[in-house]
Every structure is written in structure tokens, then in C-alpha cells.
Amino acid sequence: MSESRETTAPKEPYRILALDGGGLRGIVSARVLQHIESDFPEFLGAADLVAGTSAGAINTVAIGLGINGEKLVTLYQDQAETICGRSIWDRLATGDGIYAAAIPTERRLKGIVNGLENGTGKPVTNVKLGDIQRKILITSFQLDSHNPICRSESGPRRWKAKIFHNFKDDGDGGPNPDLAQKAVDVVMRSSAAPTEFPIYQGFTDGALLANNPVMCAIAQALHPSLGCVKPPQHIVALSIGTGAAPAQYLHQRSSSWGYIQWAQYSNLFVDAFLDVADFQANQILGRDRYFRVNPVLSGNSSSSDPAAEPFLVESVDKYFGGEPGHGKSDEWTDLKKWLGCNWSVNQFLTQPE
């Protein structure tokens, strides 16, 4: 049974929705959103800032374009094979990702574009970040600071974190050049997972810096020149993961490992980033204004196997104790209580002074 939470809410909230990366496990976040919208139809419309990494970047742009949780689930179900399917030739030519990226850029781009266009019913290829009205933030990693797409005008030539956003100000008092970036290109840059997908336009996966982007979003909301104008005590944040595999641990007391041994546990480092962001957000906002949802997965929990999609959806429903609209678990009860206090539009309109 999950720990109970306080329900003290700010009267003028700034609501942040943060969405993890995780490949095809982005469907987990999408299914969580579908559960939330079943009881809180105004949920996505009330978000002031949506932040995403990798698969979370797909979800973030989709939300910015007006796609809801149900349609997001369909996006993954329909496009999983296009985005992550591997032919025998793919496996032979790349050594299944050992010698080269396993899945061609063209296929990933096609799946993402098709999914967004099916969800919106409109062309998305030329939509720019500046065209998206809802405030969004997307993480990526820039391999060369002199890349002409986002060239750094000062400092040494190096690789660096890159945070794309669609606020009018760049954070340094000037106009934001990100507004001219195509949204689909930004998604491709954020989701270029090493070994799975080729480097895209000089960028690779945002998971290298923030697979859980909640702290990037909180930092953005606290920036004095970006128009948020909200003190820390007014920020509320919901962080949604892409699922936690059960019983992940290493029973090692004292072993001298080298590269070969550690390389097989690369997911350990990604999970460490998730946990530190969760800790930081919880320390800054407190348990009454911060909530993290990350369902425990069962069955096939692969982030790159299209056959895992039904198991991922089933895991979310099991975690919440039923399909959307029928949840009855302790986890769902706690989330509903937190949302009713911190997120519900009607609750804030009627909250007494």
C-alpha cells in the first residue's frame, strides 16, 4: 500500500507534466495519461508546461498538437513496427546494433510523422516549435557546440546538453532561436538512442542527460525571465515514467569489474539518473506538490520490441487496478487524491481564499 500524502495545494498553481524516455515503453506514459483523462478530462488542457525526453519528446509534441492519451496509445500500437521493427537484413548488416545503429533514420522518422499526423489529422512535417501554443520543453544532447543548427557563439568547441523549448525568451534576454526549429526534427534529435538509432543532425538521445526531465522543467519554471512568474511554492509537478522492471538489482559485494562486465548493465546508469531527478524534485517541491508515477512492469517489458506493447498496456492497467475509468488500486486512489487537490481546474476555480 502506498504512503498517504498531504493535500495542501497552492491557490495559483503552475502545473508541470514531465514525461520520461524509454523507447516503445512510451506507451506506458500514454496509458497512464489515458487513465488520468478518464477521471480528469481537463487534465492535459490544464498543464502549463509539458517536458519530455526521447519517447517522452514524442509524447510532449503530441500533447502540444492536441493529441490525448487514448490517441497516444494508438500511435504506439500502430507505429511500433515501423519505428523499431528490425528485418533480418537490419540485424545482419549492423550486427544487431553492435557495428552500426540497428534501425534506419528514415523508418523512425516515418513512424513518428505518421503517428502524429494520424492523431491530429493534419500535416506535421513543417510545424515549428513556435507554432505550438502550449509551453513545451525537450531534452537532447548536442555532439558539437559549433553545429550550425544550434551553434554556441562562445566557449570551447565541445559536446553539451541541449534543452529545446518554445518560450519567447531564450533565457538570456534575447529572442529564442528554438522557435524556428521543426518540432519533428527536435523529437528525432531527442529520441536518437545510441546503438538503436543513428545520430540525427548532430544530436543524440536526451536520456544521456535527463531521462526524467522533471528537474529541467522545474528549472525552466523558476527562471525569472521566461514569463512563468511563479515562486517555487506555486509549482506542482507530475512526473510519469515508462515503467520499472521488477527486481532489478546486482547481488555484488566486492567484485573487480571492467568494461565488459559493466557494459551489460547500461540501464543501471539510466535508472540512476531517473532516481536523482526524482529525489531533487521531491526535495524542492515536497510530497504535497510533487508526484511520481512509474508502474511496475510484467511480462515482456522491452523498450524496442513491438511485441511488448500489449504487455506494457496490461502492466499499467494492473498497476491501477483496472482499465481506464475502472481503476481501484491504492496507487490510483493516491494519484486521484493528488490530482484533485493540485490539478483539477474546477477545484482551483472554487477554492476559497
Side-chain angles (χ1 to χ4, degrees):
M1 184 172 179
S2 56
E3 185 177 341
S4 62
R5 292 173 174 265
E6 298 295 327
T7 57
T8 302
K11 290 184 172 65
E12 298 177 4
Y14 188 86
R15 306 176 188 92
I16 292 173
L17 173 62
L19 303 167
D20 284 12
L24 293 181
R25 278 164 49 174
I27 196 173
V28 171
S29 301
R31 188 65 166 185
V32 171
L33 292 174
Q34 188 178 357
H35 273 270
I36 292 172
E37 288 181 298
S38 68
D39 278 41
F40 297 87
E42 79 282 9
F43 171 76
L44 288 177
D48 294 292
L49 173 60
V50 183
T53 295
S54 197
I58 299 175
N59 294 344
T60 294
V61 167
I63 291 167
L65 295 174
I67 296 175
N68 63 16
E70 182 178 6
K71 289 184 178 179
L72 258 180
V73 171
T74 301
L75 183 157
Y76 284 94
Q77 291 171 332
D78 290 348
Q79 304 302 326
E81 189 65 41
T82 301
I83 294 172
C84 281
R86 305 184 192 189
S87 66
I88 294 177
W89 170 248
D90 291 331
R91 296 180 184 277
L92 291 174
T94 68
D96 209 11
I98 295 176
Y99 309 114
I103 303 164
T105 290
E106 295 76 15
R107 194 180 305 161
R108 179 165 64 100
L109 178 60
K110 179 182 178 181
I112 290 172
V113 170
N114 286 349
L116 293 174
E117 290 187 342
N118 290 343
T120 62
K122 300 177 182 178
V124 300
T125 304
N126 293 317
V127 173
K128 297 179 173 61
L129 290 188
D131 298 326
I132 297 175
Q133 297 303 305
R134 186 179 310 283
K135 292 295 183 285
I136 64 173
L137 178 150
I138 291 172
T139 69
S140 185
F141 196 83
Q142 185 170 342
L143 298 176
D144 180 1
S145 59
H146 288 194
N147 184 329
I149 293 174
C150 298
R151 183 183 173 92
S152 297
E153 297 300 329
S154 61
R157 190 169 189 168
R158 62 185 181 87
W159 53 49
K160 55 178 286 189
K162 171 58 184 174
I163 312 296
F164 292 95
H165 63 81
N166 64 347
F167 288 79
K168 183 178 179 180
D169 195 309
D170 67 355
D172 292 319
N176 179 14
D178 293 350
L179 297 178
Q181 298 292 325
K182 292 183 179 179
V184 170
D185 283 340
V186 173
V187 168
M188 290 289 289
R189 296 168 197 163
S190 179
S191 59
T195 75
E196 294 286 343
F197 304 114
I199 295 165
Y200 188 81
Q201 296 178 342
F203 294 81
T204 191
D205 202 290
L208 293 180
L209 63 113
N211 204 39
N212 176 354
V214 66
M215 282 306 302
C216 295
I218 291 172
Q220 186 84 350
L222 292 174
H223 197 290
S225 72
L226 292 176
C228 302
V229 198
K230 294 292 180 184
Q233 62 268 28
H234 284 206
I235 295 173
V236 298
L238 175 64
S239 173
I240 301 179
T242 55
Q248 285 200 139
Y249 63 91
L250 285 174
H251 186 66
Q252 297 292 334
R253 293 293 183 261
S254 57
S255 296
S256 180
W257 280 8
Y259 176 81
I260 293 176
Q261 290 89 350
W262 280 112
Q264 62 184 310
Y265 295 107
S266 59
N267 59 323
L268 178 153
F269 302 101
V270 174
D271 286 349
F273 294 148
L274 293 176
D275 288 346
V276 73
D278 182 52
F279 170 79
Q280 291 167 330
N282 198 30
Q283 292 298 102
I284 291 172
L285 300 183
R287 290 182 58 81
D288 56 336
R289 290 184 290 117
Y290 171 70
F291 201 104
R292 169 81 169 162
V293 180
N294 198 30
V296 177
L297 304 177
S298 58
N300 185 346
S301 60
S302 171
S303 63
S304 60
D305 180 5
E309 300 288 85
F311 298 99
L312 297 173
V313 170
E314 182 181 345
S315 292
V316 178
D317 294 348
K318 182 178 180 180
Y319 181 81
F320 283 137
E323 295 181 352
H326 299 88
K328 57 181 182 296
S329 68
D330 291 335
E331 288 76 13
W332 177 235
T333 299
D334 283 352
L335 176 56
K336 283 180 64 177
K337 181 180 179 181
W338 187 88
L339 288 169
C341 179
N342 289 285
W343 211 280
S344 173
V345 174
N346 292 332
Q347 185 268 338
F348 284 113
L349 292 176
T350 58
Q351 181 170 315
E353 294 294 331

